[in-house]
Amino acid sequence: MKYYIIAGEASGDLHGSNLMKALFQEDPNANIRFWGGDLMQAVGGTLVKHYRDLAFMGFAEVVLNLKTIFNNINNCKTDIEQFHPDVIIFIDYPGFNMRIAKWAKQRGIATHFYISPQIWAWKESRITSIKRDFDKLYVILPFEKDFYEKKHHFPVEFVGHPLIDAIHNRKAIDTTAFRKENNLDDKPIIAILPGSRKQEISKMLAVMLSVANDFADYQFVIAGAPSQELAFYAPFLTNPNVKFISNKTYDLLSNATAALVTSGTATLETALFKVPEVVCYKGNWISYQIAKRIITLKYISLVNLIMDEEVVTELIQGDCSKKRIKEELTKILDANSRNTMLAKYDELEQKLGGIGASQKTARLIVENIK
C-alpha cells in the first residue's frame, strides 16, 4: 500500500522514522513518500521536502513568511495528487497538516493524525475541523483520550508516547569514547538544548550560556540541531567552557548531569533520560504577548503538564535571566533536589505507558486502511 507522511519538525522526523520502521514491518511492500528529515530518510521511502524549509516559529514569523507557507501547501497537494496514496499520515504540525487534511478528505483520501494537535492548550475550536477532516486520531498523552472522548465525543486511540520507543531503541554508547570523540574533558556535563529553529536558538543560547563561568567545575555542551550548520553556532562558542556537539542529543543526555532546556518535546526527552533540568523560554515579544492571552495552561513544559504539578522549574520570558538560571541550576545540582526530581521522573514514565507506541500505531493504520 501507499503511504504519504507529513512531518514538519525535528520531533516529527524522529517519531516519523520510528513509525516508518514499524510500517515496513507491518507491510513489507509499503511505498512511503514523505515530508520530514534525515531520520526518516535513513529508514527508506522518498523524501519530498525537508522540515528545515518549513520551520517558522511564532505568530510574527508566520505572517512574514506567508507566501512561502502557501507555496508549500500547494506543492504538497500537487505531490499527493500525483502519488495517489491509500492514506495520508499527519504527524503533529497542525497549522500545515490540518489544511492538507481538509483538502484530502474532500477528495476521499484516508486521513490519519498521529500525535494530536495540542488543542487542549489553545485553539480548542479546532475540534470541529478534526472531527470533520480526520478518519483516525492517535494520541500520545494520557489525558488526551479523556479530552477527546469525554469532552468532545470523538473516539481516539491512546497508543503511548513514542519517545519511550525512541529512547529504548537507541544503541548504548561508551562514555569514555563519547567524550574523546567529541573533545570533551572529564568534568560533569551540563547539556544545553536551545531548540531546533534559528529564531529560538538565537533567542535562547546567549542567556542559557551566560552562567557558564559561574559553574567552573562543569562543562556546558550545546546540543546542535541537525537542521542547522556549525557556522550558525560559531558566535556562541567563544567561551572555552562551552563545547558543541551536533545531532547527538540523546548521546549527550545519556552522559549529562543536568540540563537547560527550551520548552517543547526536549523537556520530556530530558526527563525520560533522567536528567534534572531547568526549562527556559524567551520568545519574540509580540508572539509572546499574543500567546499568553490565548493559552490558559498552568505550565509550558510537557513534564509539568503530564504530571499536573511543577516538577521542573519553568523560567519564562522575563524570568529567563542569568540570575534566575544560576539559582535554579544550583538547586538541581544539589543531591536532595535531584533525588526529588528523579523520583517524579519515574512517576512520569509510568503515566506514559511502556514501549510499543510506534508498532501499535502502525498496526492500527494498516488494519484500518485494509
Side-chain angles (χ1 to χ4, degrees), residues 48-62:
V48 180
K49 189 89 169 176
H50 200 288
Y51 70 79
R52 71 167 67 94
D53 301 321
L54 308 174
F56 302 109
M57 179 186 176
F59 300 95
E61 291 82 3
V62 168

Side-chain angles (χ1 to χ4, degrees), residues 84-104:
H84 298 296
D86 294 293
V87 61
I88 305 175
I89 303 166
F90 302 90
I91 302 180
D92 201 3
Y93 201 52
F96 185 94
N97 276 335
M98 291 183 70
R99 286 177 171 82
I100 300 297
K102 179 180 179 181
W103 170 87

Side-chain angles (χ1 to χ4, degrees), residues 36 41 56 82 102 131 165 167 183 189 207-208 213 271 273 284 363 368:
Q41 190 171 24
F56 302 109
Q82 293 173 351
K102 179 180 179 181
K131 294 170 77 170
D165 285 353
I167 293 170
N183 299 314
I189 293 171
V207 67
M208 294 171 99
N213 290 331
F273 271 99
N284 174 283
R363 188 176 301 116
N368 283 318

